[in-house]
């Protein structure tokens, strides 16, 4: 089966600390792949390396077979790999409509267009509206993002990434901080992604992980610890030990 | 397409096109501005100054208000524009002012493009330092190349030819004012278009959150380089207008005071909506006119006091002075009212 | 040649005393303070007035200059600066530019716009030869005073309880607060002390730098260079940066007088491109 994303011997050091330790991960095309691990295991660092926010100390990253290790963040997005953030990273002064509109026009290469009015193309408008509708943002589309309730901001956080039409989507704890009763909106929107979109999910919440993932990788102390089908990982005594160990600390 | 989707689409389309629609107050603003050509002919000299200062502040707004870059050296580009325009006229290289204006703007733009790479790096403080350093360096250069620039005495003996070969720069500044106003208006239209384009939106996104901007595929550095260069072009044009209307350029065009005053001009009017620089320029010049007659030497003291007061009281609260105006504006905008009514009716249908 | 080096070192040390307060306040509160030179000017004028008008001995006027500037610094910190710590950098820039303008015009109003000097005692005038190197007495005094101060500061920072608290607060304010360190008080004290040092530097510097109301504007860029090039993580960085700047400036003006300040600006820009966080800063990014 074709690989969507692959890392080879990925290492990231901060001074004396090794945050990512020789990670060789493979994510198959169309996979629903989850990355779990106790606090401080280096999950977010790994996402930062994959998306280009940080440069690895050593190792390579391949996207659909091409080496993207040296590419900038935006170039990776243009190649179809998009991420979300654990803590909302939104544009406070823009409205959801403008935010989604921006993402859609960037993807269509209109970012440097300084003459045409934003959103004057019918096809783009249709796309923008459909994203707004799918993520239940239509009723607040003209509010400033900064004043939206947290739940809506979280939806927008995911919606912006979807508006980039990723082929590989990196979700960093999409339901973080969202109350139980509002989670289904976010989870449903993720579940509704087309089957050919590859999803790498980082999550703390085991219910979400096991309801969603077809494959699970466990990260401990920056290194890949166990990998396998959800049932196998759930039964693995080493994984239990790691998580129990963590709880013992807490 | 479902009816819900098509209603969303219509609303989205409406909101996006509302961004660019001309507000009645904007139209009034420009009608009044052009009416000044006939209304107050004796005040055209100061109005000329307001026009180029407004353009200069508009250019700063593009980088501060839209892209979020703090610059303490915007006078660098103003100065380049001024000297280029003055030199072109003095050595009769390009005699036609409009063409010379364009060349001066492009020269400033080139300097802006080169220095933008320096300004991109680092934090607010290093940006500030580098922008300030560039302006000081250019001033020093202009000072050292006295044979070309006249050094500390300034560049004298500039004789301007008629605009388009038709309109002479008269000593009362009538034609000069019309010239500056037209240039300002044209460049304002372009800036307005730009601010409402996807490009303009991407700048605000970068200002708000550069990390996320990159994560949705916006090449952050490239956008900043482009807007910095455009702003430098605008500043260069403003400087060239000064040089052309006064037939003079001196080291003072590069000075730190000029960059600092400019920040004040923009702050008085408010950032990020394009009119801030223009309104600020009007208020600033009127204030200067008044205060500097009172205490010519200590005029900087009042500028300083105003800056301190604005920050301490809070800029949000100060720019709230136009809240009643905005309220009035909303009422005036009958199209908005009609839209609101339509929306309310639609909501009742549901 | 060695004389130039000597003058450069004196100049650099002076710059260090003038600017080190700025470096600490920037590191501690992430505050961009463009008005730092105003405190130096206050110290300078204090000395001039005390010596010339009241006949206070020059050496006694130096600690007084420190005090005057420190008190002004403390008052300004509590009254004005405290409001902008949490505001964006643009607000800080606007506020402190405003203060600079007020200081310049206000001083002009009170003291007049001409350059002033303090009468220095005879011991400090002229120069003597030392192994063929011309040593200016006044510059020697500067090196001694500033050298002692630099060593003293380093000792305070590394050896005392206050110093360790200060370093903790610079490293991570949140954690420092959590440990029960009164960051606000530390900052007020540091700000006052830094202003005092600037005042002392201003007092010492009247002879070399000249003193007139435009002082804060003229030397603003120099202070900022010291801070940005030196980084804010230690005082060794600004110290080395000051020496470099001092020597570079004096040598530049001596060997290539035609280029003037051009050399310094060029060096600054090159350094900032090469190391945006400063030449001597730790490699870590905050």
């Amino acid at each position: 089966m074709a690989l969507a994303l692959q890392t080879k011997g990925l290492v990231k050091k901060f001074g004396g600390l090794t945050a990512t330790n020789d990670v060789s991960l493979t994510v198959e095309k169309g996979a629903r792949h989850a990355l779990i691990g106790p606090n401080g295991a280096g999950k977010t660092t790994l996402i930062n390396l994959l998306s280009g926010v940080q440069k690895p100390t050593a190792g390579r990253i391949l996207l659909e077979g091409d080496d993207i290790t040296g590419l900038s963040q935006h170039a990776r997005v243009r190649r179809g790999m998009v991420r979300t953030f654990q803590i909302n990273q939104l544009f406070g002064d823009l409205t959801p409509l403008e935010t989604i509109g921006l993402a859609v026009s960037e993807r269509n290469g209109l970012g440097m267009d300084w003459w045409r009015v934003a959103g004057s193309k019918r096809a783009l408008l249709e796309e923008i509206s459909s994203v707004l509708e799918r993520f239940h943002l239509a009723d607040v589309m003209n509010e400033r993002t900064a004043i939206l309730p947290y739940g809506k901001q979280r939806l927008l956080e995911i919606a912006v990434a979807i508006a980039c039409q990723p082929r590989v989507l990196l979700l960093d704890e999409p339901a973080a901080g969202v109350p139980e009763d509002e989670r289904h909106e976010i989870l449903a929107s993720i579940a509704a992604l087309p089957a050919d979109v590859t999803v790498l999910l980082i999550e703390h919440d085991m219910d979400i992980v096991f309801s969603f993932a077809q494959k699970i990788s466990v990260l401990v102390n920056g290194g890949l610890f166990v990998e396998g089908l959800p049932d196998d990982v759930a039964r693995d005594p080493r994984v239990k030990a790691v998580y129990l160990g963590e709880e013992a600390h807490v | 397409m479902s009816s819900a989707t098509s209603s969303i689409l219509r609303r989205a389309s409406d909101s996006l096109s509302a961004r660019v629609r001309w507000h009645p107050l904007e139209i009034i603003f420009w009608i009044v501005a052009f009416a000044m050509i006939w209304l107050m002919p004796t005040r055209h000299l100061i109005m000329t100054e307001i026009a180029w200062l407004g353009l200069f502040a508009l250019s700063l707004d593009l980088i501060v208000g839209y892209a979020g870059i703090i610059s303490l050296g915007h006078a660098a580009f103003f100065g380049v524009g001024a000297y280029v325009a003055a030199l072109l006229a003095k050595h009769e290289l390009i005699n036609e002012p409009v063409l010379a204006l364009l060349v001066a703007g492009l020269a400033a733009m080139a300097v802006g493009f080169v220095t933008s790479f320096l300004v991109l790096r680092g934090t607010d403080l290093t940006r500030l330092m580098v922008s300030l350093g560039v302006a000081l360096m250019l001033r020093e250069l202009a000072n050292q190349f006295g044979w070309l620039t006249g050094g500390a005495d300034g560049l004298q003996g500039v004789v301007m030819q008629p605009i388009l070969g038709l309109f002479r720069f008269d000593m009362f500044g009538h034609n000069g004012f019309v010239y500056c106003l037209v240039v300002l208006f044209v460049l304002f239209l372009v800036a307005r278009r730009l601010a409402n384009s996807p490009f303009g939106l991407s700048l605000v996104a970068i200002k708000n959150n550069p990390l996320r901007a990159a994560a949705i595929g916006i090449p952050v550095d490239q956008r900043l380089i482009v807007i910095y260069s455009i702003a430098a072009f605008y500043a260069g044009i403003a400087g060239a207008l000064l040089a052309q209307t006064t037939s003079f350029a001196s080291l003072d065009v590069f000075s730190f005071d000029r960059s600092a005053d400019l920040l004040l001009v923009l702050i008085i009017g408010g950032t990020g909506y394009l009119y801030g620089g223009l309104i600020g320029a009007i208020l600033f010049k009127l204030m200067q006119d008044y205060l500097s007659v009172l205490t010519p030497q200590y005029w900087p003291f009042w500028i300083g006091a105003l800056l301190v007061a604005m920050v301490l009281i809070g800029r949000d609260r100060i720019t709230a002075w136009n809240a009643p105006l905005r309220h009035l504006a909303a009422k005036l905008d009958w199209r908005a009212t009609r839209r609101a009514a339509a929306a309310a009716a639609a909501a009742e249908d549901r | 040649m060695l004389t130039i080096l000597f003058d450069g070192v004196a100049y650099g040390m002076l710059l260090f005393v003038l600017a080190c307060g700025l470096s600490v306040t920037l590191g501690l509160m992430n505050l961009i303070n463009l008005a730092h030179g105003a405190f130096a000017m206050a110290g300078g004028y204090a000395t001039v007035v005390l010596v010339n008008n009241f006949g206070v001995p020059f050496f006694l006027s130096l600690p007084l200059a420190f005090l005057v500037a420190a008190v002004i610094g403390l008052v300004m910190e509590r009254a004005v600066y405290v409001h902008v710590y949490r505001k964006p950098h643009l607000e800080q820039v606007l506020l402190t530019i405003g203060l600079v303008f007020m200081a310049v015009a206000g001083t002009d109003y009170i003291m007049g716009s001409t350059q002033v000097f303090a009468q220095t005692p005879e011991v400090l005038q002229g120069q003597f030869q030392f192994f063929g190197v011309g040593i200016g007495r006044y510059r020697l005094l500067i090196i001694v005073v500033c050298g002692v101060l630099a060593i003293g500061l380093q000792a305070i920072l590394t050896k005392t309880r206050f110093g360790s608290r200060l370093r903790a607060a610079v490293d991570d304010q949140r954690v420092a607060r959590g440990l029960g360190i009164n960051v606000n008080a530390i900052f007020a004290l540091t700000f006052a002390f830094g202003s005092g040092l600037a005042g002392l530097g201003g007092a010492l510097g009247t002879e070399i730098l000249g003193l007139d109301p435009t002082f804060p504007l003229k030397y603003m860029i120099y202070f900022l260079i010291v801070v940005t090039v030196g980084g804010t993580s230690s005082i060794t960085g600004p110290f080395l940066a000051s020496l470099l700047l001092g020597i570079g400036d004096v040598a530049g003006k001596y060997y290539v007088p035609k280029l003037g300040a051009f050399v310094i600006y060029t060096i600054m820009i090159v350094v900032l491109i090469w190391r945006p966080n400063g030449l001597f800063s730790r490699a870590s990014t905050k």
Side-chain angles (χ1 to χ4, degrees):
Chain A
M1 199 168 191
L3 292 182
L5 183 64
Q6 188 180 14
T7 69
K8 291 184 175 172
L10 211 55
V11 177
K12 176 68 182 178
K13 289 184 177 160
F14 296 104
L17 185 85
T18 305
T20 305
N21 188 9
D22 195 21
V23 171
S24 295
L25 181 77
T26 54
V27 182
E28 283 167 5
K29 211 173 175 88
R32 296 289 182 267
H33 194 134
L35 190 66
I36 63 171
N39 275 325
K43 299 182 299 272
T44 294
T45 304
L46 187 57
I47 290 262
N48 282 344
L49 294 176
L50 293 176
S51 61
V53 174
Q54 287 160 339
K55 295 279 166 225
T57 314
R60 297 199 298 140
I61 303 167
L62 305 180
L63 178 64
E64 293 168 343
D66 300 327
D67 192 328
I68 57 160
T69 320
L71 291 187
S72 59
Q73 292 179 61
H74 64 85
R76 295 179 196 208
V77 176
R78 293 202 173 158
R79 279 171 172 252
M81 181 162 69
V82 183
R83 70 171 291 188
T84 67
F85 293 81
Q86 186 185 343
I87 300 165
N88 284 343
Q89 301 286 341
L90 296 167
F91 311 120
D93 291 337
L94 300 185
T95 64
L97 171 61
E98 289 166 339
T99 306
I100 302 295
L102 182 61
V104 170
S105 39
E106 285 294 335
R107 206 195 68 247
N108 286 283
L110 296 178
M112 276 306 286
D113 187 336
W114 56 273
W115 185 250
R116 194 177 290 105
V117 173
S120 55
K121 276 194 180 170
R122 177 83 187 178
L124 298 196
L125 266 172
E126 279 174 11
E127 202 182 320
I128 295 167
S129 319
S130 109
V131 172
L132 287 171
E133 188 185 18
R134 257 195 291 156
F135 284 85
H136 310 279
L137 290 165
D139 47 336
V140 292
M141 69 180 177
N142 287 322
E143 310 272 347
R144 269 182 73 228
T145 299
I147 59 168
L148 290 181
Y150 182 79
K152 290 287 182 193
Q153 289 192 2
R154 202 62 200 156
L155 279 168
L156 182 58
E157 171 74 35
I158 315 288
V160 191
I162 304 294
C164 299
Q165 288 197 354
R167 290 197 301 281
V168 177
L169 179 63
L170 312 174
L171 292 169
D172 194 351
E173 297 195 26
V178 180
E180 206 68 49
D181 53 329
E182 288 179 31
R183 281 186 175 197
H184 66 274
E185 282 194 345
I186 289 172
L187 298 178
S189 65
I190 295 169
L193 286 171
D196 57 344
V197 174
T198 311
V199 181
L200 181 62
L201 170 81
I202 290 191
E203 190 48 78
H204 249 342
D205 188 318
M206 289 304 138
D207 292 343
I208 297 180
V209 169
F210 284 99
S211 68
F212 167 84
Q214 300 153 347
K215 191 178 175 189
I216 295 179
S217 299
V218 186
L219 207 62
V220 175
N221 288 331
L224 221 43
F225 186 60
V226 174
E227 215 170 16
L229 298 174
D231 290 346
D232 299 340
V233 171
R235 278 197 295 271
D236 194 310
R238 291 172 299 172
V239 175
K240 279 186 183 157
V242 167
Y243 272 88
L244 288 175
E246 190 205 14
E247 265 152 39
H249 281 298
V250 179
Chain B
M1 192 188 288
S2 74
S3 69
T5 311
S6 62
S7 111
I8 293 170
L9 191 145
R10 206 168 41 246
R11 277 169 55 214
S13 166
D14 278 354
S15 317
L16 285 173
S17 48
R19 288 169 54 95
V20 283
R21 196 172 298 129
W22 282 80
H23 192 280
L25 274 190
E26 290 185 270
I27 298 168
I28 293 171
F29 179 92
W30 287 106
I31 289 178
V32 171
F34 278 96
M36 286 301 160
I37 297 173
W38 299 278
L39 285 182
M40 298 173 104
T42 56
R43 305 284 284 157
H44 277 175
L45 286 174
I46 189 170
M47 281 187 221
T48 306
E49 287 179 27
I50 291 175
W52 62 250
L53 183 63
L55 180 62
F56 190 23
L58 172 66
S59 87
L60 186 67
D61 197 14
L62 289 178
I63 61 170
V64 174
Y66 283 85
I69 303 175
I70 306 177
S71 166
L72 266 186
H74 209 51
F77 313 121
F78 185 84
V80 169
Y83 270 102
V84 169
L87 286 169
L88 288 176
K90 178 171 172 157
H91 300 289
E92 297 177 10
L93 297 171
I94 299 177
N95 286 322
E96 201 291 304
V98 179
L99 194 59
L101 187 71
L102 205 63
V103 173
L106 290 174
M109 190 174 186
V111 176
F113 176 74
V114 172
T115 54
S116 69
F117 293 92
L118 314 179
V119 172
L120 285 182
R121 313 235 1 183
T123 58
D124 281 347
L125 182 68
T126 39
R127 282 176 170 181
L128 211 125
M129 292 282 304
V130 171
S131 58
L132 180 60
V134 167
L136 288 170
M137 247 169 92
L138 288 173
R139 184 179 191 281
E140 204 56 41
L141 270 182
N143 192 17
Q144 296 302 330
F145 288 89
W147 56 269
L148 182 68
T149 61
D153 297 330
L155 191 68
Q156 286 159 352
V158 177
V159 181
M160 293 307 301
Q161 298 303 313
I163 303 156
L164 302 172
L166 299 171
F167 309 102
R168 193 160 288 284
F169 283 98
D170 55 292
M171 64 177 293
F172 304 104
H174 298 313
N175 286 343
F177 172 61
V178 177
Y179 173 54
C180 286
L181 189 61
V182 169
V183 171
L184 172 66
F185 184 59
V186 170
L187 288 179
F188 177 85
L189 289 181
V190 174
R192 193 177 182 281
R193 196 82 205 203
L194 185 143
N196 290 310
S197 69
F199 175 71
L201 267 184
S202 76
L203 293 179
V204 179
I206 291 170
K207 178 188 170 192
N208 277 195
N209 192 335
L211 176 68
R212 189 53 185 267
I216 62 169
I218 299 173
V220 173
D221 283 5
Q222 177 222 45
R223 295 291 153 81
L224 292 181
I225 290 169
V226 170
I227 192 62
Y228 202 74
S229 308
I230 293 175
F233 176 79
Y234 272 52
I237 298 275
L241 287 177
L242 165 71
Q244 291 184 337
T245 51
T246 57
S247 305
F248 184 63
S250 70
L251 290 182
D252 161 63
V253 289
F254 287 115
S255 75
F256 171 73
D257 296 34
R258 191 177 287 280
S259 298
D261 286 358
L262 186 69
L263 263 176
L264 176 66
V265 169
L266 181 59
I267 297 308
I268 299 176
T271 56
Y273 73 104
L274 297 179
Y275 283 92
L278 311 188
I279 294 171
I282 296 169
L283 294 177
F284 182 85
K285 276 291 170 193
L286 291 180
M287 210 164 59
Q288 190 183 39
D289 210 30
Y290 176 72
L291 280 177
S292 59
V293 170
L294 248 60
T295 53
Q297 201 179 347
Y298 309 117
W299 149 246
F301 183 86
W302 300 112
I303 294 189
L306 191 64
L307 275 170
V308 172
M310 292 195 76
V311 174
L312 290 186
I313 298 170
R315 284 202 287 128
D316 310 343
R317 260 175 280 173
I318 292 208
T319 32
W321 62 264
N322 58 21
L325 259 181
R326 267 182 279 139
H327 188 69
L328 176 75
K331 276 193 180 165
L332 267 176
D333 194 350
W334 53 273
R335 284 169 304 204
T337 323
R338 203 181 51 180
R339 267 201 312 279
E348 265 173 35
D349 284 351
R350 261 191 286 163
Chain C
M1 169 66 198
L2 280 173
T3 309
I4 292 169
L5 189 66
F6 177 78
D7 285 0
V9 170
Y11 185 31
M13 289 215 158
L14 187 61
L15 281 176
F16 170 70
V17 171
L18 281 165
C20 67
L22 185 62
S23 139
V24 178
T25 49
L26 177 73
L28 186 56
M29 285 308 224
N30 197 13
L31 169 77
I32 297 183
N33 180 13
L34 300 178
H36 189 70
F39 299 104
M41 178 169 72
Y45 273 102
T47 287
V48 168
V49 170
L50 285 170
V51 172
N52 295 2
N53 299 16
F54 296 95
V56 176
F58 179 73
F59 287 106
L60 181 61
S61 77
L62 293 180
L64 289 175
F66 175 90
L67 237 116
V68 168
V71 169
I72 298 179
L74 190 64
V75 171
M76 290 302 287
E77 198 274 334
R78 285 290 100 188
V80 179
Y81 283 94
V82 75
H83 299 293
V84 293
Y85 291 151
R86 287 174 194 290
K87 290 202 180 164
H89 281 151
L90 179 61
E91 311 285 312
Q92 301 177 354
V93 167
L94 294 171
L95 176 89
T96 53
I97 289 182
L99 290 178
V100 170
F101 279 179
M102 288 175 78
V104 169
T107 309
D108 191 341
Y109 179 71
I110 300 168
M111 306 298 299
S113 59
T114 49
Q115 194 163 358
V116 293
F117 296 96
Q119 288 154 0
T120 48
E122 262 171 53
V123 212
L124 294 178
Q125 289 166 9
Q127 53 169 241
F128 59 89
Q129 296 292 316
F130 187 78
F131 291 114
V133 183
I135 306 270
R137 290 167 197 273
Y138 194 86
R139 286 183 163 75
L140 186 63
L141 171 81
I142 287 180
I143 292 185
V144 172
V145 173
C146 299
V148 169
L149 278 173
I151 295 168
L153 283 176
Q154 182 68 18
I156 291 177
L157 277 177
T158 52
K159 299 276 156 56
T160 66
R161 198 174 155 72
F162 180 79
S164 56
R165 286 169 168 237
L166 178 61
R167 278 180 297 137
V170 171
D171 268 354
D172 195 325
Q173 222 186 100
R174 212 163 41 84
V175 172
R177 278 184 209 277
L179 291 171
I181 296 176
N182 187 343
V183 176
N184 292 348
I186 288 194
F187 191 59
L189 267 180
T190 312
F191 193 97
F193 195 74
S195 308
L197 282 179
L200 177 62
L204 278 170
T206 45
E207 188 81 8
I208 296 183
L209 307 176
L211 184 62
D212 64 57
T214 61
F215 183 89
L217 276 176
K218 245 193 291 185
Y219 288 95
M220 180 170 76
I221 184 91
Y222 282 76
F223 303 153
L224 289 174
I225 291 175
V226 170
V227 173
T228 44
V229 172
T232 56
S233 49
S234 67
I235 63 165
T236 345
F239 183 72
L240 293 175
S242 307
L243 284 185
L244 257 181
L245 177 61
I247 297 169
D249 199 34
V250 171
K253 278 181 182 146
Y254 184 80
Y255 290 112
V256 276
K258 290 220 82 171
L259 287 176
F262 197 74
V263 182
I264 293 300
Y265 302 144
T266 316
I267 294 174
M268 172 195 92
I269 289 173
V270 170
V271 167
L272 288 182
I273 293 166
W274 177 38
R275 296 283 306 263
N277 293 317
L279 202 48
F280 305 105
S281 73
R282 288 171 301 191
S284 76
T285 48
K286 263 195 186 174

